[in-house]
Amino acid sequence: MGKQEANIYEIAREAGVSIATVSRVINHSNAVSEKSYRRVMDAVRKFNYVPNSTARSLSTSTSTSIGVVIPDINNPFFSLLLEGITRVADERGYHVLLFNTAENTDREHQVLQTMREHRLRGIIITPVSEQDPDTMKRLHNFETLGIPVVLLDREVDSQFFDRVVTDDERGVHAAVSELIRVGHRRIAIITGPEASRPGRERLRGYYRALREHGLPVTPAYIRKGDFMVDCAYEQTLALCAMQEPPTAVFSSNNMTTYGCLKAFNELGLRVGADIALVGFDDIDALCWLDYNISVVSRDVPEMGKQAMRLLLQRFESERGERAGARECLPTELLLRGSELLPESGRAH
Amino acid sequence: MGKQEANIYEIAREAGVSIATVSRVINHSNAVSEKSYRRVMDAVRKFNYVPNSTARSLSTSTSTSIGVVIPDINNPFFSLLLEGITRVADERGYHVLLFNTAENTDREHQVLQTMREHRLRGIIITPVSEQDPDTMKRLHNFETLGIPVVLLDREVDSQFFDRVVTDDERGVHAAVSELIRVGHRRIAIITGPEASRPGRERLRGYYRALREHGLPVTPAYIRKGDFMVDCAYEQTLALCAMQEPPTAVFSSNNMTTYGCLKAFNELGLRVGADIALVGFDDIDALCWLDYNISVVSRDVPEMGKQAMRLLLQRFESERGERAGARECLPTELLLRGSELLPESGRAH
């Protein structure tokens, strides 16, 4: 399997659809039923079908440009990913074409459309949403054109692609378990977006820690965030205004941690003395400023390097080899004191 | 002048050099004397000469890719510039191809070499050094090929290019004058690199403020920095260890401010109480953390937007119109209390 050359007629026959339907899938028109789409993509995978002429010229195995699509250019997490990607890319003579979607799916679709006009050798993307069918189709389509795609940190709901993630669930489980171990019982979380793997996995780690330690889930302690400062700030103010406020807050990413700290500072609450805080992802600036925030840490530049290495493997691999590799990097719990049970908590 | 079409023979005749020399200049070989180089470039400018065939295919007026070359992907200042550039680029259907030189001139030369292989419509660059002749030749060469170049924040020693800068000298002059006005007499500065316009201009503002207020220059208070955290941290420790330490420090960029704060925290010095600090460029994170650091501020995304707008003007302009526009944006002094004379300073 996988080595034979197929044409559009064979794909249509295999999928049991018309040639027009195959064409619509390949040009990611939306006028295709989910069922037909699946059947065509299955056939494309089975035959490793690559549409020729225009398609091949888009693919261009001689290109040295890698399209990198990130959702927030102002988040240092993505700067660190980029640093890792560009380091490996540079070593191997590849260059990064950067696209910013600003956490907006419409913009992501535009970006993916215009990327078709570039001679890209491969794509690394942190998609805005996991559940967006249009983005998923467009990414499938790049693969069909012979342009490999690697998902980074976030995923889409498909086993089709290579991906690099971290073990977020386990990391948050360890952090919240530690909060419980030192005596916290009222532990809040400011979540990430539900539609993103990291947001969901981190919340899952929180639930598992509570469950394993026999603590009840208090819905009012679970606050929806969006990985941005402003929302986290508002949610932290709301938590602190509760009749029975939490003694500890888990913040689901670096920007959320900043939002929590902004609220705590405004309320005059000292972290590790009046309230506990543990965050996901380390923040260099907080270390320089001697904020000893405990965090679930991970090697972010290494994630970027791994993503680029997966792409390089795809460039070098036989046409017949398929994507679907999943690199899962570990996290590490760094305890610095901000997790300790505050005085007020002990009094209760 | 400017509208006639010239060929390589006419350029050679005008410059009084051989055709081989013109070719060497255009392909930026280093085997050309400075004098010949100048004469060829003068002739190129006079005739608005654009080498054809290969050269024109490199230029490609249909490309929608903008090459952006920045020196430090982890500095939020450059993320904000990028945000501004990409915003205007997106609106107009252009896309950003990002290159990171990591403050390394060798790497900058490599980057500029590989950029020739891409179909770029224009280039925005913050060069590593102002005085690097190789970079300057390569940038001239892009202009010769019909690919306009805009310098952003930093410059090179040539009037040839469009550029977007800020009035750094005036900004620092205002900040240091304010330090003097509230009573400081022992004012240190941690500088940026001498080979960069911002580094030099900011030091110039410091000198002018001291001079205008009749204060002597104390060489030991002028500490060489490199716009990075570690060096600023070391220099701040050295300043604080002096027999007669400064009562105020001016830090020449955002990373330098972090380095100063790291040292102050380590020494247990409170900003605005034990020692004064004013920095260049505002830092969002410090505002979230309620660090009330006074800064010389500027509209960084607007700088990026302006650079992209200058490129767009060049795309739309007649072949005959030349570069050399210089947009200088203002700075603003934001006073938040960190500039005040510390107790210990008042005691002396």
Side-chain angles (χ1 to χ4, degrees):
Chain A
M1 179 202 127
K3 299 282 184 186
Q4 67 259 61
E5 291 278 333
N7 61 34
I8 194 166
Y9 300 97
E10 290 165 296
I11 297 297
R13 195 170 51 217
E14 172 76 21
V17 300
S18 69
I19 292 161
T21 300
V22 176
S23 173
R24 274 199 296 273
V25 169
I26 284 160
N27 296 295
H28 55 71
S29 157
N30 278 316
V32 181
S33 73
E34 194 60 27
K35 193 177 151 196
S36 296
Y37 175 77
R38 293 270 169 204
R39 292 171 78 158
V40 170
M41 288 311 293
D42 284 346
V44 160
R45 287 178 71 170
K46 181 168 173 188
F47 289 107
N48 290 297
Y49 171 64
V50 178
N52 49 21
S53 66
T54 24
R56 280 191 211 275
S57 81
L58 280 171
S59 145
T60 61
S61 59
T62 57
S63 168
T64 57
S65 300
I66 307 298
V68 175
V69 186
I70 60 164
D72 182 4
I73 208 167
N74 288 317
N75 183 332
F77 170 74
F78 293 106
S79 307
L80 289 172
L81 283 183
L82 270 174
E83 188 189 301
I85 294 169
T86 49
R87 185 154 307 170
V88 175
D90 282 351
E91 282 168 17
R92 299 290 296 269
Y94 290 94
H95 306 286
V96 166
L97 187 60
L98 180 70
F99 299 89
N100 182 25
T101 56
E103 297 284 10
N104 180 316
T105 46
D106 286 343
R107 182 139 165 194
E108 185 171 79
H109 302 159
Q110 282 166 24
V111 158
L112 292 171
Q113 183 63 36
T114 53
M115 283 171 86
R116 291 166 60 93
E117 294 155 21
H118 290 274
R119 291 171 63 248
L120 298 180
R121 185 80 170 90
I123 293 170
I124 298 173
I125 180 170
T126 302
V128 173
S129 162
E130 201 160 314
Q131 289 142 8
D132 187 80
D134 193 20
T135 289
M136 209 189 314
K137 278 188 192 174
R138 289 171 187 274
L139 294 178
H140 274 295
N141 200 249
F142 279 112
E143 283 276 356
T144 313
L145 295 170
I147 302 168
V149 173
V150 172
L151 305 174
L152 183 49
D153 195 43
R154 303 185 196 165
E155 306 186 280
V156 296
D157 188 15
S158 163
Q159 299 304 307
F160 199 80
F161 304 105
D162 284 349
R163 57 198 70 204
V164 176
V165 296
T166 47
D167 197 348
D168 298 16
E169 195 269 355
R170 188 192 295 253
V172 177
H173 174 266
V176 175
S177 296
E178 178 64 21
L179 285 169
I180 297 168
R181 200 190 64 77
V182 300
H184 292 280
R185 293 296 172 267
R186 303 203 307 272
I187 303 167
I189 182 171
I190 300 177
T191 71
E194 270 171 54
S196 86
R197 184 203 64 84
R200 235 179 21 248
E201 290 281 305
R202 292 170 200 173
L203 181 57
R204 205 171 282 163
Y206 168 86
Y207 280 130
R208 182 159 69 92
L210 295 191
R211 193 173 61 241
E212 284 184 6
H213 293 84
L215 289 186
V217 169
T218 308
Y221 288 164
I222 298 166
R223 296 278 172 167
K224 269 196 183 179
D226 60 2
F227 284 161
M228 302 284 196
V229 172
D230 290 348
C231 178
Y233 163 75
E234 297 293 343
Q235 292 288 28
T236 307
L237 289 181
L239 281 171
C240 293
M242 287 174 68
Q243 202 147 23
E244 197 164 54
T247 61
V249 177
F250 184 84
S251 80
S252 291
N253 84 335
N254 54 355
M255 292 292 127
T256 304
T257 301
Y258 274 124
C260 293
L261 289 173
K262 187 182 172 197
F264 292 157
N265 277 325
E266 204 167 291
L267 298 169
L269 295 174
R270 292 157 306 154
V271 172
D274 301 314
I275 192 155
L277 176 67
V278 179
F280 201 98
D281 275 335
D282 209 359
I283 304 176
D284 279 348
L286 291 183
C287 297
W288 300 327
L289 299 173
D290 210 20
Y291 267 79
N292 298 308
I293 306 295
S294 302
V295 289
V296 179
S297 170
R298 50 184 175 162
D299 189 340
V300 181
E302 183 59 27
M303 292 175 71
K305 286 181 190 173
Q306 285 281 10
M308 190 61 216
R309 285 189 205 117
L310 278 181
L311 263 193
L312 290 168
Q313 281 173 26
R314 291 290 306 284
F315 298 162
E316 287 157 12
S317 75
E318 289 287 313
R319 191 37 79 65
E321 288 176 38
R322 276 272 11 107
R326 187 176 193 273
E327 299 279 345
C328 185
L329 281 72
T331 61
E332 188 187 2
L333 181 58
L334 303 179
L335 295 177
R336 295 167 175 152
S338 72
E339 76 283 5
L340 295 176
L341 189 64
E343 309 292 336
S344 57
R346 284 175 207 139
H348 282 276
Chain B
M1 180 200 129
K3 299 283 182 181
Q4 68 259 62
E5 290 278 332
N7 61 32
I8 194 166
Y9 300 97
E10 289 165 294
I11 298 297
R13 195 170 51 217
E14 171 76 21
V17 300
S18 70
I19 291 161
T21 299
V22 176
S23 173
R24 275 200 295 274
V25 169
I26 284 161
N27 296 294
H28 54 72
S29 157
N30 279 316
V32 179
S33 73
E34 194 60 28
K35 192 175 153 198
S36 295
Y37 176 77
R38 293 269 169 205
R39 292 171 78 160
V40 170
M41 289 310 294
D42 284 347
V44 160
R45 288 178 70 169
K46 180 167 173 190
F47 289 107
N48 289 298
Y49 171 63
V50 178
N52 49 21
S53 67
T54 25
R56 279 192 212 274
S57 82
L58 281 172
S59 145
T60 60
S61 58
T62 58
S63 167
T64 57
S65 300
I66 307 298
V68 175
V69 186
I70 60 164
D72 182 5
I73 208 167
N74 288 316
N75 183 332
F77 170 73
F78 293 106
S79 306
L80 289 173
L81 282 184
L82 270 174
E83 188 189 302
I85 293 169
T86 49
R87 184 154 310 170
V88 175
D90 281 351
E91 283 168 15
R92 298 291 296 267
Y94 290 94
H95 306 285
V96 166
L97 186 58
L98 180 70
F99 299 89
N100 182 26
T101 56
E103 297 284 11
N104 180 315
T105 46
D106 286 344
R107 181 139 167 196
E108 185 170 79
H109 301 160
Q110 282 167 24
V111 157
L112 292 171
Q113 183 63 36
T114 54
M115 284 171 86
R116 291 167 60 93
E117 293 155 22
H118 290 274
R119 291 170 64 248
L120 298 179
R121 185 79 170 92
I123 292 169
I124 298 174
I125 181 170
T126 302
V128 173
S129 162
E130 201 160 315
Q131 288 142 8
D132 187 80
D134 193 20
T135 289
M136 209 187 316
K137 276 188 193 175
R138 288 172 187 274
L139 294 179
H140 273 296
N141 200 249
F142 279 111
E143 284 276 357
T144 313
L145 294 170
I147 301 168
V149 173
V150 172
L151 306 174
L152 183 50
D153 196 42
R154 304 185 196 163
E155 305 187 282
V156 295
D157 190 15
S158 163
Q159 299 304 308
F160 200 79
F161 304 104
D162 284 349
R163 58 198 69 204
V164 175
V165 296
T166 47
D167 197 349
D168 298 16
E169 195 268 355
R170 187 192 296 251
V172 178
H173 174 266
V176 175
S177 296
E178 178 63 21
L179 285 168
I180 297 167
R181 199 190 64 78
V182 298
H184 292 281
R185 294 296 172 268
R186 304 203 307 271
I187 303 168
I189 183 170
I190 300 177
T191 71
E194 270 172 56
S196 86
R197 184 203 64 85
R200 237 181 16 251
E201 290 282 305
R202 292 169 200 174
L203 181 56
R204 205 171 285 162
Y206 168 85
Y207 279 130
R208 182 159 70 91
L210 295 191
R211 192 174 61 241
E212 284 183 7
H213 293 83
L215 289 187
V217 168
T218 308
Y221 287 164
I222 298 166
R223 296 278 172 167
K224 268 197 183 178
D226 59 4
F227 284 160
M228 302 285 195
V229 172
D230 290 348
C231 177
Y233 164 75
E234 296 293 343
Q235 292 288 28
T236 307
L237 289 181
L239 281 172
C240 294
M242 288 175 67
Q243 203 147 24
E244 197 164 54
T247 62
V249 177
F250 184 85
S251 81
S252 291
N253 84 335
N254 54 355
M255 293 291 127
T256 304
T257 301
Y258 274 124
C260 293
L261 289 173
K262 187 181 173 197
F264 293 157
N265 278 325
E266 202 168 292
L267 298 170
L269 296 174
R270 293 159 304 155
V271 172
D274 301 315
I275 192 155
L277 175 67
V278 179
F280 201 98
D281 275 335
D282 209 359
I283 304 176
D284 279 348
L286 291 183
C287 298
W288 300 329
L289 299 173
D290 209 20
Y291 268 79
N292 299 307
I293 306 295
S294 302
V295 289
V296 180
S297 170
R298 50 185 175 161
D299 188 340
V300 181
E302 182 59 28
M303 292 175 71
K305 287 181 189 172
Q306 285 280 10
M308 189 62 215
R309 285 189 206 118
L310 278 180
L311 263 194
L312 291 169
Q313 281 173 27
R314 290 292 306 283
F315 299 162
E316 287 158 11
S317 73
E318 289 287 313
R319 189 40 78 64
E321 288 178 38
R322 277 274 6 111
R326 187 176 193 273
E327 298 280 345
C328 184
L329 280 71
T331 61
E332 188 186 3
L333 182 59
L334 303 180
L335 295 177
R336 296 168 174 149
S338 72
E339 75 283 5
L340 295 176
L341 189 64
E343 309 292 336
S344 56
R346 285 176 207 137
H348 282 275

